[in-house]
Amino acid sequence: MNRPSDDPHTGPLAGVRVLELAGLAPGPFAGMMLADHGAEVLRVDRVPAVLAAGDTPRRDVMDRGKRTIGLDLKSPEGAAVFKELAARADVVIEVFRPGVAERLGIGPDDLHAVNPGLVYGRLTGWGQEGPLAHTAGHDLNYLAVSGVLSTLGREGEKPTAPLNILGDFAGGGLMLAHGIVLALFERTRTGRGRVVDAAMTDGAALLFAMFYRGPASEGWGPRGTNLLDTGAPIYDTYTTKDSAYVAVAALEPQFWAEAVELMGLTDLPDRDDRSAWPALRERLAAAFATKTRAEWEEVFADSDACVFPVLEMHEAPGHPHSRARNSFVTVEGVTQPAPAPRLLGTPAPDLAPATRLSDLTSWGVSAQEAERLRAAGVLA
């Protein structure tokens, strides 16, 4: 690894240096995952963006624990500086369309020439090759082509556009971070780096590995008619008396029996009879509408009925379970999810907001050279 011995970073990735090329959310999310576990992440942004921000810390959650500089990569001098930085890095995170980094002179071959052990992580929607590789797209498009989108939504309705979690973050940023760690582990044996090609389309499809056999197997029906996609009344959400919601996931018979008992319901339709699902849903909806969300939360407290309140985003940090586990932290006034997963016994990471890095000497750029580059508008 390339970290100075006196660096304060701790965690399983302490000693790992990451250059993160600024981009949309999935790339910064991958960098955040690495920074959360001890990596030293240097975000390389555009010069105007860094100058405009000044010395104000970046409070974006996905920039926590990072440092940032501005670099004009379109200039030969800027590309040369990036190569100097890459020579002392372990990882590069790149989020451009295929071919852009090569045209800038900072593609995998360019950087492996100065650092054969570099792990070069590439994150795109469609991947580095294929007929769509150079086509624009967004999370919803990647879900559409992967087949994932066809499964989302209620019966008889068009597919539902989810937040950009499945493609951008889980299928993209998280898979990239996973691939980078795999490549770093491999490097401990080979000494050589590797290019990680993380495509959001691939990642989204992998997340749904369990469901791809569904259409070819008995018992799997159209969207919104199955056990886990709002088809089953025992796995759905219901409106409470105060127009809030509860989430019911009483899949196992013993959990269902406990839920029914606590609700005081009798003579319900058979939960295993699909033809009875509409009638069962109607009974449950009527029952849940008789109490407020808080009242139902009290009814099901400390039970195995698998019925819980649907909390709003601002309520989640205050839930007793979240508080007990410190699942949320506050950094410079911004409440945000804590790093996950946890490696027990590892000290809590530094979650300070991203700040500018004003001294690049440890990255191989002298103070005199940095001053010259700043004056030329190449570096901020």
Side-chain angles (χ1 to χ4, degrees):
M1 307 301 181
N2 292 296
R3 182 186 303 284
S5 59
D6 60 348
D7 194 281
H9 286 72
T10 60
L13 294 181
V16 174
R17 280 184 152 188
V18 180
L19 287 174
E20 176 197 304
L21 287 162
L24 297 177
F29 181 72
M32 182 200 78
M33 292 291 294
L34 302 179
D36 279 353
H37 294 284
E40 178 187 359
V41 180
L42 179 59
R43 174 186 169 92
V44 180
D45 209 334
R46 295 177 177 84
V47 170
V50 172
L51 291 177
D55 292 325
T56 303
R58 293 178 60 96
R59 289 182 169 81
D60 189 299
V61 172
M62 290 180 293
D63 287 331
R64 67 190 187 193
K66 304 176 184 177
R67 307 299 293 276
T68 184
I69 62 169
L71 198 58
D72 180 7
L73 295 174
K74 293 183 178 180
S75 72
E77 280 190 300
V81 172
F82 191 82
K83 285 184 181 179
E84 288 185 52
L85 302 177
R88 290 164 174 79
D90 298 290
V91 177
V92 163
I93 293 177
E94 179 254 294
V95 293
F96 303 145
R97 285 201 202 187
V100 171
E102 284 79 359
R103 290 195 293 274
L104 293 173
I106 58 171
D109 291 343
D110 302 301
L111 301 190
H112 280 150
V114 298
N115 184 355
L118 184 71
V119 173
Y120 197 107
R122 317 194 82 166
L123 178 59
T124 58
W126 306 112
Q128 296 298 311
E129 72 278 324
L132 295 177
H134 294 274
T135 304
H138 284 293
D139 183 280
L140 193 62
N141 307 126
Y142 311 139
L143 297 186
V145 171
S146 68
V148 168
L149 186 59
S150 69
T151 70
L152 306 178
R154 291 191 175 272
E155 181 181 10
E157 299 180 5
K158 64 181 181 179
T160 298
L163 291 173
N164 61 327
I165 300 300
L166 292 176
D168 282 353
F169 290 95
L174 186 59
M175 290 293 181
L176 175 62
H178 173 60
I180 287 171
V181 172
L182 292 177
L184 287 171
F185 180 74
E186 181 188 50
R187 192 181 68 172
T188 63
R189 301 194 307 270
T190 67
R192 300 195 64 81
R194 182 180 289 275
V195 177
V196 179
D197 177 8
M200 298 173 202
T201 309
D202 299 345
L206 182 61
L207 291 169
F208 274 63
M210 170 182 173
F211 301 100
Y212 276 90
R213 64 180 295 272
S217 65
E218 294 183 8
W220 183 273
R223 175 176 58 255
T225 66
N226 305 285
L227 184 64
L228 301 176
D229 64 357
T230 75
I234 62 174
Y235 197 85
D236 205 349
T237 58
Y238 291 91
T239 306
T240 57
K241 185 178 181 179
D242 54 344
S243 298
Y245 305 95
V246 292
V248 178
L251 293 175
E252 291 79 3
Q254 67 273 25
F255 300 156
W256 172 247
E258 188 166 353
V260 170
E261 180 181 357
L262 289 171
M263 295 179 74
L265 297 176
T266 58
D267 300 322
L268 289 177
D270 183 2
R271 54 167 260 167
D272 296 321
D273 179 2
R274 285 176 177 256
S275 67
W277 280 1
L280 178 56
R281 189 186 307 278
E282 186 175 342
R283 288 284 305 277
L284 291 175
F288 279 115
T290 63
K291 297 180 186 295
T292 66
R293 191 190 75 177
E295 289 172 331
W296 283 121
E297 187 173 8
E298 185 175 350
V299 167
F300 293 110
D302 301 320
S303 78
D304 281 338
C306 298
V307 181
F308 289 90
V310 177
L311 301 181
E312 299 293 333
M313 294 284 282
H314 69 274
E315 295 177 300
H319 190 275
H321 188 77
S322 297
R323 293 203 307 268
R325 285 185 55 80
N326 295 316
S327 298
F328 292 83
V329 295
T330 300
V331 181
E332 293 289 323
V334 179
T335 300
Q336 53 198 267
R342 304 180 186 190
L343 278 71
L344 300 185
T346 300
D350 176 16
L351 296 182
T355 54
R356 290 205 292 181
L357 180 62
S358 58
D359 183 2
L360 284 172
T361 54
S362 67
W363 285 85
V365 179
S366 69
Q368 294 80 7
E369 177 68 1
E371 182 57 37
R372 185 186 71 79
L373 293 168
R374 279 193 289 268
V378 175
L379 173 68

